[in-house]
C-alpha cells in the first residue's frame, strides 16, 4: 500500500537532503557573483534528434556549438517518461509519484481537475527567488492551471506562455479557431487554442510560438541583466510536441526529408535551435554569457510515430525502456564546466534542485525532501556521483505498471506485462540481450530497491485519461499486483 513519504530512507538508495546543501571545492566561493542559471527544456525531443547526439538530418548548429564547448551527458535521465510528471520532478527535486502527480494533468485541467502540483512542495524557483534571484518561466507549464498553482505563485517573477499540456503553434490558425468557438458560445475551449498569457494577462500572439518564446527569453535576459542580481530562467519550449506545425521557411530547409512528419518535426527542432542562438547573442550583448550556466535537455523521449528518433535506444515517450526517459543533455558554463567532454555516469533531472540551489548559495527549507544530489563537482572532476545508487521510472498503464531501474552499468526493466529483464546497459544500450538468468542476484537487488521506493508513493491526485481511475481502484493498482514478482 502507499504510505506518506518517510524522511528516514535508510533503505532507499537516493540521497535525501535537508537544509542547506554542502559546497564543492572546484568553484571559487570567494567570487561574490553567483551564476545565472538557464534551463532550456524541449518537449518530446528524441534522443538522436540534435546534432550533438547523432542527428544527421536535423540541423542544430547553435545547440551543437554550446554542447561542444560544454559537457555532454550520455546517461542523463528524467524522473518520468511523460511531460507533466517529469516537469514536476525537475522543479521539486522529488519523484512525482511521492506527492500524487504520477499522471499528466488532463486537458482543460482548470475545469476537469482544479488542482496542480501540491503547494506543500516548494519549487526550486521559490528557493532561488528567496535567495535573491530574478526568476522567469517561459513556455509550457502543465503543473496547474488554476490561480493557486500559477507560475507567479510558485516562485517565478515573470511568466509568459500557456498553462496546459500543449498548444498549437501558428497564431493565425489557432486564433481563428478560438474566435469561432467564442462566437458559438463554447465556454470549454480546448486549451491548445486559447491565448497565451503574460503574468495572468491574455496575450494575442502574432509570431510562431517557438519564435515568440525565444523572443520573450531575449526580453527576459535584457530585463534581468539590469537588476543587479543573478537570474534563473526556465525556458520550456513545447516544440517538437504535437501538433506537428512548422514555418514554411523552416520546412523548406528540410525538403530532402521524404517523410512529412519527420520533415515538420525537423523544422520545429530547428526553430528551437535558431531561438537558442538569439538567446546566446542576448547573453553576450548583456555581458552575462560568461557567468551563465546553460542546461539543455528534453522532458522525456520522443514519439517515433510523430517524427522522432530515439536511436540507439529502445522505446518511446511513455516507456520505461531507455527511449522513454533517457534524454539528450548538456551543461555549458565557460571556465567552469569542462569543454569538449562527455560525462558517461548516470545523472537525473532530480539533481538539478540541489545543484542549482547550492550554486545560488540558497537555503532549502528544513522540511524539504529532495531525491537528488549536487552533481557539479563530480561533473567537473569526472567522478561517478551515483555509484551504487538507483534511478527509477514508473509508468502506470491500464491495470498494470511498468518499471525501469538504472544502477551503475545495469538496467532492469519490467514493461508491457513481460517478465523482468536485466541488461548491461553500458555495453548494450539498445537493451537487446537479457542477462537476468546470468545475474539473478543483481536483478533481485534492483527489484527490491524499486519495491522499497514504491512504498513511499502517494495515491494519484488525478488520472489521465480519467477512465484509469476506476481501473486503479478495481484492480488495486496501489498494491502493485505482480509488479515486483520476479517469477512473472
Amino acid at each position: 500500500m502507499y504510505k506518506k513519504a518517510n524522511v528516514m530512507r535508510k533503505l532507499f538508495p537516493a540521497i535525501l537532503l535537508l537544509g542547506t546543501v554542502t559546497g564543492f571545492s572546484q568553484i571559487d566561493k570567494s567570487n561574490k557573483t553567483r551564476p545565472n542559471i538557464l534551463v532550456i527544456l524541449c518537449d518530446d525531443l528524441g534522443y538522436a534528434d540534435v546534432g550533438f547526439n547523432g542527428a544527421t538530418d536535423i540541423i542544430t548548429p547553435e545547440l551543437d556549438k554550446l554542447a561542444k564547448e560544454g559537457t555532454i551527458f550520455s546517461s542523463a535521465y528524467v524522473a518520468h517518461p511523460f511531460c507533466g510528471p517529469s516537469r514536476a520532478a525537475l522543479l521539486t527535486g522529488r519523484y512525482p509519484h511521492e506527492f500524487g502527480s504520477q499522471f499528466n494533468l488532463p486537458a482543460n485541467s482548470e475545469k476537469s481537475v482544479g488542482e496542480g502540483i501540491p503547494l506543500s512542495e516548494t519549487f526550486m524557483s521559490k528557493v532561488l527567488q528567496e535567495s535573491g534571484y530574478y526568476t522567469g518561466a517561459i513556455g509550457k507549464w502543465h503543473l496547474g492551471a488554476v490561480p493557486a498553482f500559477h507560475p507567479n505563485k510558485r516562485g517565478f517573477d515573470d511568466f509568459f506562455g500557456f498553462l496546459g499540456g500543449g498548444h498549437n503553434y501558428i497564431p493565425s490558425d489557432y486564433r481563428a479557431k478560438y474566435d469561432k468557438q467564442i462566437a458559438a458560445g463554447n465556454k470549454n475551449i480546448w486549451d491548445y487554442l486559447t491565448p497565451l498569457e503574460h503574468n495572468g494577462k491574455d496575450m494575442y500572439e502574432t509570431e510562431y510560438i517557438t519564435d515568440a518564446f525565444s523572443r520573450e527569453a531575449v526580453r527576459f535576459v535584457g530585463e534581468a541583466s539590469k537588476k543587479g542580481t543573478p537570474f534563473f530562467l526556465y525556458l520550456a519550449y513545447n516544440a517538437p510536441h504535437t501538433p506537428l506545425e512548422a514555418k514554411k521557411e523552416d520546412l523548406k530547409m528540410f525538403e530532402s526529408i521524404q517523410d512529412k512528419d519527420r520533415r515538420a518535426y525537423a523544422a520545429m527542432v530547428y526553430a528551437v535551435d535558431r531561438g537558442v542562438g538569439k538567446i546566446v547573442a542576448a547573453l553576450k550583448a548583456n555581458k552575462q554569457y560568461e557567468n551563465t550556466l546553460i542546461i539543455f535537455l528534453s522532458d522525456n523521449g520522443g514519439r517515433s510515430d510523430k517524427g522522432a528518433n530515439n536511436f540507439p535506444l529502445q522505446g518511446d515517450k511513455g516507456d520505461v525502456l531507455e527511449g522513454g526517459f533517457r534524454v539528450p543533455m548538456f551543461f555549458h558554463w565557460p571556465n567552469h564546466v569542462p569543454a569538449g567532454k562527455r560525462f558517461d555516469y548516470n545523472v537525473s533531472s532530480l539533481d538539478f534542485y540541489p545543484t542549482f540551489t547550492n550554486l545560488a548559495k540558497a537555503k532549502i527549507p528544513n522540511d524539504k525532501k529532495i531525491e537528488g544530489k549536487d552533481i557539479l563537482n563530480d561533473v567537473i572532476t569526472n567522478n561517478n556521483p551515483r555509484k551504487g545508487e538507483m534511478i527509477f521510472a514508473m509508468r502506470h498503464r491500464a491495470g498494470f505498471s511498468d518499471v525501469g531501474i538504472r544502477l551503475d552499468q545495469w538496467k532492469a526493466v519490467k514493461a508491457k506485462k513481460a517478465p523482468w529483464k536485466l541488461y548491461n546497459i553500458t555495453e548494450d544500450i539498445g537493451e537487446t540481450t537479457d542477462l537476468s538468468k546470468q545475474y539473478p542476484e543483481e536483478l533481485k537487488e534492483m527489484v527490491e530497491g524499486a519495491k522499497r521506493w514504491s512504498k513511499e508513493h502517494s495515491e494519484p491526485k488525478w488520472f489521465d485519461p480519467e477512465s484509469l481511475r476506476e481501473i486503479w481502484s478495481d484492480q488495486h493498482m496501489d498494491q502493485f499486483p505482480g509488479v515486483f514478482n520476479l517469477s512473472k
Side-chain angles (χ1 to χ4, degrees), residues 43-80:
D43 197 346
D44 296 359
L45 179 69
Y47 191 74
D49 288 333
V50 283
F52 70 83
N53 237 35
T56 57
D57 57 346
I58 299 179
I59 304 167
T60 55
E62 302 295 342
L63 290 168
D64 296 348
K65 186 173 188 296
L66 289 172
K68 183 178 180 180
E69 295 172 353
T71 294
I72 298 170
F73 293 78
S74 64
S75 297
Y77 293 88
V78 291
H80 197 284

Side-chain angles (χ1 to χ4, degrees), residues 175-229:
R175 177 69 187 274
K177 294 175 181 177
Y178 176 77
D179 288 344
K180 186 176 180 180
Q181 293 287 312
I182 290 289
N186 186 354
K187 298 185 182 301
N188 191 33
I189 302 171
W190 189 34
D191 52 12
Y192 276 51
L193 305 177
T194 55
L196 303 183
E197 69 155 89
H198 185 204
N199 294 335
K201 180 180 178 181
D202 285 354
M203 303 297 292
Y204 291 91
E205 186 54 59
T206 58
E207 284 194 83
Y208 180 69
I209 68 170
T210 299
D211 291 342
F213 294 152
S214 300
R215 179 198 72 218
E216 292 301 309
V218 169
R219 171 191 61 80
F220 179 88
V221 167
E223 293 176 357
S225 300
K226 297 174 183 176
K227 292 185 176 294
T229 61

Side-chain angles (χ1 to χ4, degrees), residues 26 73 105 122 178 245 361 430:
Q26 299 299 313
F73 293 78
L105 278 162
T122 304
Y178 176 77
E245 297 179 344
K361 300 179 176 64

Side-chain angles (χ1 to χ4, degrees), residues 32 43 77 124 139-140 142 174-175 187 219 235 258 269 290 384 386 433:
K32 295 181 181 179
D43 197 346
Y77 293 88
M124 176 204 318
K140 174 175 171 174
H142 208 193
Y174 72 72
R175 177 69 187 274
K187 298 185 182 301
R219 171 191 61 80
L235 174 56
Q258 297 301 308
V269 175
E290 298 291 329
N384 187 352
R386 288 182 167 272
T433 304

Side-chain angles (χ1 to χ4, degrees), residues 352-371:
F352 290 176
Y353 199 121
T355 300
F356 299 168
T357 51
N358 190 11
L359 275 173
K361 300 179 176 64
K363 180 174 174 55
I364 300 173
N366 290 329
D367 60 350
K368 172 62 180 164
K369 304 177 186 69
I370 300 177
E371 281 127 4

